[in-house]
Amino acid sequence: MSRTVPFTAPGDLHEPERPASSVPPASVGSNPSASARRRARVVRVLVIAALSVLGVVFTYPFVWLVSASFKPRGEVFDNRLIPETFTLGNYAAVWQEAPLALWFANTAIVTVLAAVTVTLSSAMVAWGFTWFRFRGRGVLFGFVLASMMLPGAVTMIPTFLIWNSLGFVGTLVPLWAQNLFASAFYVFLLRQFFLGLPRDFFDAARVDGASQWAVFWRIALPMARPALAVTLVFEVQAVWTDLMRALIYLRDSSTFTIPRGLKAMVDAFGFSGQWNWEIIVTASVIATVPMILVFFVAQKQIIQGVASSGLR
């Protein structure tokens, strides 16, 4: 049985009508994208709020310390961030009560020597693990990393006996000379950076007749400046605030560093019955200022060096 198909003229051709309930394609997905943007804004606000709270928590002790340094003795612990009685006398008195200039000089000498020696020695060891291929290299590097697991108390007495037998107890030498033998953490950090450098540069230098030392000193070190800057800044901060070794090896106040001097001031002015806490907090502010300046000067190198070392 045949079925009649209605004839449609060419001019009558048209698209079938779309149901009224259908949604235009352009509007599909618009609501999910808007909700995603709202969620991103909420997350951003929460992250900023959390960082602000953490920033206040971390900066409050230092703000309190600075505020207390401008207060007289009777108002040091009143917990006011704005001093009721403002005075600059503490900053003049602290230089008279303690040889801060000498302690700063001792600390600067130890810091510079320790930072430079550990940076160069660690770079040489890291370069050796990166460039040279020898049997047992991985095992030896594993032992180097395993040394970081040893608590400092384990090697404290043997190290003291070594320096005592050499006659250096009571001097500044033990505070920096052990950095001549590199640091496991800095060796790991610098090795990770060296592994990311193109080996073709060094192979080409060797083909051109450069010695192993020339390749390291003239090519590898300049290319590793970000990682070297991180190592240098980290060690400067570690040595500047090191109290343990100063307590062990220093005997006379003429050799005290800043941390050891602050400990002596706490014993003299804080717990001896004088209760001159305004002198102690003022000396603490003065001792902290150099590290703040170092951070602001080197923060770009720190971020660049840590990021590049971690990625590579």
Side-chain angles (χ1 to χ4, degrees):
M1 185 175 185
S2 63
R3 183 178 180 182
T4 304
V5 179
F7 173 78
T8 303
D12 295 337
L13 291 175
H14 62 278
E15 296 180 359
E17 294 184 359
R18 186 182 293 111
S21 60
S22 63
V23 180
S27 63
V28 176
S30 59
N31 291 334
S33 63
S35 61
R37 287 195 297 268
R38 285 195 296 270
R39 285 195 300 269
R41 283 195 295 267
V42 171
V43 172
R44 180 182 177 85
V45 170
L46 293 177
V47 170
I48 293 176
L51 293 177
S52 301
V53 171
L54 291 176
V56 171
V57 171
F58 281 106
T59 57
Y60 176 79
F62 181 71
V63 174
W64 182 93
L65 190 71
V66 173
S67 176
S69 66
F70 293 106
K71 299 177 182 179
R73 182 183 308 178
E75 301 178 6
V76 172
F77 296 104
D78 60 4
N79 288 329
R80 294 179 179 176
L81 296 182
I82 300 177
E84 183 178 3
T85 304
F86 189 88
T87 178
L88 294 174
N90 297 334
Y91 285 89
V94 69
W95 297 94
Q96 300 173 0
E97 297 292 342
L100 283 183
L102 179 61
W103 295 348
F104 266 101
N106 293 337
T107 308
I109 293 172
V110 172
T111 300
V112 171
L113 291 176
V116 172
T117 53
V118 79
T119 300
L120 292 178
S121 59
S122 299
M124 286 188 285
V125 176
W127 176 251
F129 280 115
T130 304
W131 174 257
F132 297 103
R133 311 294 188 190
F134 54 91
R135 182 176 299 176
R137 184 184 64 164
V139 175
L140 183 59
F141 185 69
F143 281 119
V144 172
L145 295 182
S147 66
M148 292 192 296
M149 301 297 105
L150 292 176
V154 174
T155 59
M156 187 180 298
I157 294 178
T159 304
F160 175 82
L161 294 176
I162 293 173
W163 289 118
N164 188 46
S165 62
L166 295 175
F168 288 121
V169 174
T171 66
L172 298 175
V173 175
L175 275 64
W176 65 269
Q178 68 184 33
N179 285 356
L180 290 168
F181 307 100
S183 167
F185 172 73
Y186 297 141
V187 169
F188 171 75
L189 179 69
L190 293 170
R191 178 179 176 271
Q192 292 302 110
F193 191 91
F194 284 139
L195 288 175
L197 298 179
R199 192 179 177 89
D200 296 340
F201 288 110
F202 314 125
D203 292 333
R206 291 291 295 159
V207 171
D208 290 340
S211 62
Q212 296 285 2
W213 177 256
V215 171
F216 168 72
W217 187 259
R218 300 178 61 182
I219 302 177
L221 279 188
M223 296 177 69
R225 285 178 182 174
L228 296 176
V230 171
T231 302
L232 192 69
V233 173
F234 280 5
E235 188 63 17
V236 166
Q237 188 273 336
V239 176
W240 190 270
T241 58
D242 184 20
L243 175 62
M244 182 60 68
R245 282 187 291 182
L247 284 172
I248 295 173
Y249 295 106
L250 301 183
R251 299 288 184 267
D252 188 72
S253 61
S254 62
T255 60
F256 281 179
T257 57
I258 287 294
R260 182 65 181 90
L262 291 178
K263 177 62 170 62
M265 293 180 67
V266 171
D267 295 338
F269 298 116
F271 300 118
S272 64
Q274 298 186 28
W275 310 113
N276 293 338
W277 290 104
E278 75 281 2
I279 301 297
I280 298 174
V281 296
T282 304
S284 301
V285 172
I286 296 174
T288 308
V289 168
M291 289 297 97
I292 297 176
L293 296 177
V294 169
F295 172 76
F296 279 109
V297 171
Q299 60 177 331
K300 181 178 179 180
Q301 287 75 14
I302 294 174
I303 296 173
Q304 180 182 0
V306 171
S308 57
S309 298
L311 291 175
R312 291 173 178 173

